[in-house]
Amino acid sequence: MRTQEHHIENNKPRGFDPRGILISMLHAILGTSGQVWLRFGGLVSALTIIGYFVVVIGIDYLRPSHNWDTLAYLGVAARDWMGMADPALIHAFAYDTVRSAISPEQFAIFTENDAYRERMFADPQAFVSMLGMYDVKWLYIALLVALSPFVGAYDAGFFINILAATLLSASTIWWLSANKILRLGFVVPALMMIAGVASFAMSDMPDFLTLALMMSAVFALDRNRLSIGFTLLILAVATRPDALAFAGVLMCAAWVWRDKITAGAAIAFLVAVAVYVAIQSVSTHPGWWPHYWFSTYKIQNDMTGFAPAFDLKVYVVGLGWNIVRSVLEDTWLGMYTITLGVWAMMQAGGLKLNKRRTVLVGALLLGVAAKFLIFPLHDGRVHLPLLLPAIMLLMVGLRDALVLPDEKENLK
């Protein structure tokens, strides 16, 4: 009886099944998309990269991101470039410039948010005592001063970010195209999102400019445009002196791997050292240890005469606390760990980078570690100028290592 019922059930007419049509439609869509991507993928990726930065800059224009450091950079411009010597005048210029550009509610955040900001607003001498930790960002302030007559002192930082975004977009698209991988350029904005680049691309600080200069320098060196690459590297040092760590490690890595850029890297390092010394000679920077203490251990409300003796305990606490903050508050350390792991797995699997990329990736990753050991800051904006180009080089290096031998001629 069961067998008969089962036989009758199997002979019932079946209803309409749309799955075959849906699968056919899916195959057609994927096939057409693939053909379109093969033909226009490079253009789409280039527009995606440009569009990402246009959106970031556009959002910054519509909803500006205000940063307290803007006051300090304006103070340096007034003191070192406009000839103001009186702390009261320097203080008034910086705060009045910002006050006239933002809302009263936003200005209150600059002046009342915590005890440090209250002291800076109330005490011109204390404010001026902080400027030495900012005046070493020489190129950024020089651009700030140069643009101020045309766009206003407060908005100059916004236009510097536009210049940086233009340089970064152009150099990235050029480098991807030169490596025959522009079709995959859409991953670049995704990488920028994960890294949180937008947060400091919309801040009036030198970090986004440093990122643009450093990534462009590495891309140029990878493509053997040595004079351009080393010039951009020196400009990065003039923007953020801690970029000198990469210049030094690059020189050593080139020598170890016997890369032909060794002589050029040595000359670039010496020039970068000269630039660093020249900037320090006209700076009021308090020195490495007071700055370390202020930034990693305990903020001082007045840096006048602040010169504590070196304390190993303070160094270890500053280092450890910023490692913890890097784990809990940022993404750069996780990205750094993954990058090291990917490189290690590539090496173990025989997927090796060529000599130039080995030198560059090694110097970039060692440079991140060296910078952190010398001056441990948890902010990703400090480390991304070295980390992001390392990731990009590994991405293209992995593609090259996986390409079949008979296909490599098509990539030259």
Side-chain angles (χ1 to χ4, degrees), residues 45-126:
S45 289
L47 292 176
T48 302
I49 294 171
I50 295 170
Y52 170 76
F53 289 112
V54 168
V55 169
V56 169
I57 297 298
I59 294 297
D60 188 29
Y61 176 77
L62 295 173
R63 302 189 67 173
S65 175
H66 306 293
N67 190 282
W68 187 91
D69 287 1
T70 302
L71 289 163
Y73 290 118
L74 290 171
V76 173
R79 186 194 65 183
D80 297 348
W81 296 77
M82 301 178 188
M84 296 184 190
D86 185 349
L89 292 177
I90 296 170
H91 183 273
F93 171 80
Y95 277 89
D96 288 348
T97 299
V98 171
R99 192 201 307 267
S100 64
I102 63 178
S103 69
E105 294 78 14
Q106 292 164 336
F107 188 73
I109 295 175
F110 275 41
T111 58
E112 303 172 6
N113 201 45
D114 52 44
Y116 177 80
R117 297 187 181 199
E118 290 176 4
R119 178 67 180 276
M120 293 302 102
F121 183 53
D123 188 346
Q125 180 56 48

